[in-house]
Amino acid sequence: MSAISLALVIFGIMLAFMVVRVPISVAMFTAGAIGYVMQTGWGPFSSFINTQAFARFASYDLSVIPLFILMGHFATQGGISRALFGFAAGVMGRFKGGLAMASILACAAFGAICGSSVATAATITGVALPEMKRHGYSGRLATGTLAAGGTLGILIPPSVPLVIYAILTEQNIAKLFAAAMVPGIIAMLGYMVAIAIYVRLVPGQAPEVDNDRPPLTLASLLGILPIAVIFIIVFGGIYGGWFTPTEGAAVGAAATLVAALLKREITWAKFKLCFYATAESSAMIFLIFIGADLMNSALALTQVPNQLAGVVGGWGLSPLMVVTAILLFYVVLGAVMDELSMLLLTIPIFFPMVMALDFGMAKESTAIWFGIMVLMTVGFGMLAPPVGLNVYVVNGLAKDVPISESYKGVMPFLISDTLRTTLLLLFPGISLWLVKYVS
């Protein structure tokens, strides 16, 4: 069997398992194991499994993932999300579509202490969806807004997918967080503009005048104070050189727990739930790590990734066209895979290919810029049909809204995503200008 045929068999086995709803970690592990054994035999395979699992999980950098996840759960169970939406609604409620814009603001602020797209979408939906329904917003606009707003959980640092990219490519996490800051803010503003345009072009999606808008009070302002303090402590500490990103994640989790305790909304049962949910999410991510490691190792033995890089180089395409093709591939892949699986499976293949191209930038700048571009595209995949994981999560909480309406609701935000991604693709300096201030 030729190398290309074997690589296709490995991918085919993985996709076949995914079709019958086998967890992605098991699908990648099984396909990788079959491909590895076919090329090396059982002895080398056993040795690889024995050493690779320990080598992967012994990495100190990996501890940042459960810590940021725990930070998000403390914020969720501590009632911080309600305070965020209350303040945002008070600020934006005077505008047409203001509660939808407030949901975007709340998602952005919550994403600054969460790092998960799905968690951000689910948390803010529980608070914002009933309010938007009560004020006469359509199910299409409400669910589409909340699904799109959820992607800000990974676009605005801290971001679990960005941490994984940093680990896979051996890049500086602090610099990647700095690079994601401006694109994340642009995403937030772009979504708010999309709402303002949509409610004026499509009648009946939001009330014309909302006389029952939430008031902006001193109490609502004080309610967001914990978020600001946590953000300053974590990122001020990281960029001030007081602690590493991993230590910052631990400090952030502790600070979020203190904030939740001060609000007196976190019970012993909720406290335990935070750790159980963190353990469940972390275990899922780490299992995907092992499955992706084995899958990528099996593919590396076929030499197909190197051959692919050589073929692409021989086409004579410009570096920008190559990156555009990779991003379009991510959009397609997002229809069948979640964001973590996509990164773990593809970055070991695409990253060396991109780093071999000349973009007129330093290699570190190229690596950071490409990471931000991938992050933008992964966020697109969380919304795009036929899967769009965020859409499914939000629609599952809005039981009276058909899934087709939710997909129609995300279309204005996908247009905004397309414009933003194109802007960042053509002007890498937008992502990189903050990085030069990070040592």
Side-chain angles (χ1 to χ4, degrees), residues 95-439:
F95 303 107
K96 185 176 181 180
L99 285 186
M101 296 180 192
S103 300
I104 296 296
L105 278 176
C107 286
F110 191 79
I113 58 170
C114 180
S116 166
S117 177
V118 171
T120 299
T123 301
I124 302 300
T125 295
V127 179
L129 184 61
E131 283 296 304
M132 282 198 278
K133 283 185 175 180
R134 187 171 70 85
H135 286 78
Y137 284 71
S138 70
R140 176 191 301 183
L141 177 60
T143 55
T145 296
L146 292 165
T151 63
L152 297 173
I154 61 172
L155 299 182
I156 293 178
S159 166
V160 172
L162 207 54
V163 170
I164 291 175
Y165 177 86
I167 293 171
L168 292 175
T169 60
E170 299 181 349
Q171 298 300 311
N172 185 293
I173 295 176
K175 290 184 178 181
L176 280 164
F177 281 176
M181 202 77 72
V182 173
I185 294 172
I186 293 174
M188 178 191 72
L189 296 175
Y191 286 166
M192 294 172 68
V193 170
I195 292 169
I197 295 173
Y198 183 71
V199 296
R200 285 163 175 79
L201 293 181
V202 184
Q205 299 299 307
E208 290 294 328
V209 179
D210 193 351
N211 295 318
D212 188 28
R213 60 178 180 265
L216 180 60
T217 63
L218 179 61
S220 65
L221 179 62
L222 292 176
I224 67 164
L225 188 61
I227 298 291
V229 171
I230 293 168
F231 188 83
I232 292 171
I233 289 175
V234 173
F235 290 98
I238 291 174
Y239 296 119
W242 299 336
F243 37 72
T244 66
T246 303
E247 294 164 348
V251 171
T256 308
L257 174 59
V258 171
L261 291 172
L262 290 176
K263 288 181 69 66
R264 299 182 179 180
E265 292 200 27
I266 190 164
T267 63
W268 176 246
K270 289 181 177 179
F271 180 76
K272 292 191 294 183
L273 179 63
C274 290
F275 284 93
Y276 290 145
T278 299
E280 182 179 342
S281 299
S282 301
M284 179 269 293
I285 292 172
F286 291 165
L287 281 174
I288 293 176
F289 261 115
I290 287 294
D293 282 346
L294 185 54
M295 180 92 171
N296 287 319
S297 296
L299 291 173
L301 287 173
T302 67
Q303 297 296 311
V304 167
N306 294 333
Q307 294 177 23
L308 180 61
V311 169
V312 172
W315 285 346
L317 298 175
S318 69
L320 207 58
M321 291 180 66
V322 173
V323 172
T324 301
I326 290 173
L327 297 180
L328 290 174
F329 178 76
Y330 273 117
V331 172
V332 175
L333 202 61
V336 294
M337 299 179 74
D338 63 85
E339 73 270 29
L340 300 181
S341 303
M342 281 194 286
L343 290 177
L344 289 164
L345 181 62
T346 60
I347 289 301
I349 298 173
F350 289 148
F351 183 74
M353 186 188 305
V354 171
M355 294 305 292
L357 301 173
D358 182 13
F359 292 91
M361 300 184 287
K363 291 300 181 183
E364 183 185 49
S365 297
T366 299
I368 291 172
W369 169 70
F370 180 64
I372 301 304
M373 295 309 305
V374 170
L375 188 68
M376 296 291 115
T377 313
V378 163
F380 191 100
M382 300 295 289
L383 301 178
V387 178
L389 184 57
N390 271 21
V391 180
Y392 273 93
V393 169
V394 173
N395 186 263
L397 297 172
K399 301 186 184 299
D400 59 334
V401 180
I403 189 70
S404 59
E405 284 295 293
S406 295
Y407 276 123
K408 291 177 183 176
V410 299
M411 290 303 166
F413 303 101
L414 290 177
I415 294 173
S416 175
D417 284 343
T418 302
L419 295 175
R420 182 184 70 252
T421 304
T422 303
L423 180 68
L424 295 172
L425 181 66
L426 297 177
F427 301 99
I430 296 174
S431 301
L432 298 173
W433 78 273
L434 260 183
V435 178
K436 61 185 177 182
Y437 299 107
V438 181
S439 57

Side-chain angles (χ1 to χ4, degrees), residues 20-44:
V20 296
R21 306 185 73 81
V22 171
I24 184 64
S25 57
V26 177
M28 287 195 292
F29 184 91
T30 304
I34 293 172
Y36 204 101
V37 170
M38 288 177 65
Q39 295 176 86
T40 65
W42 286 102

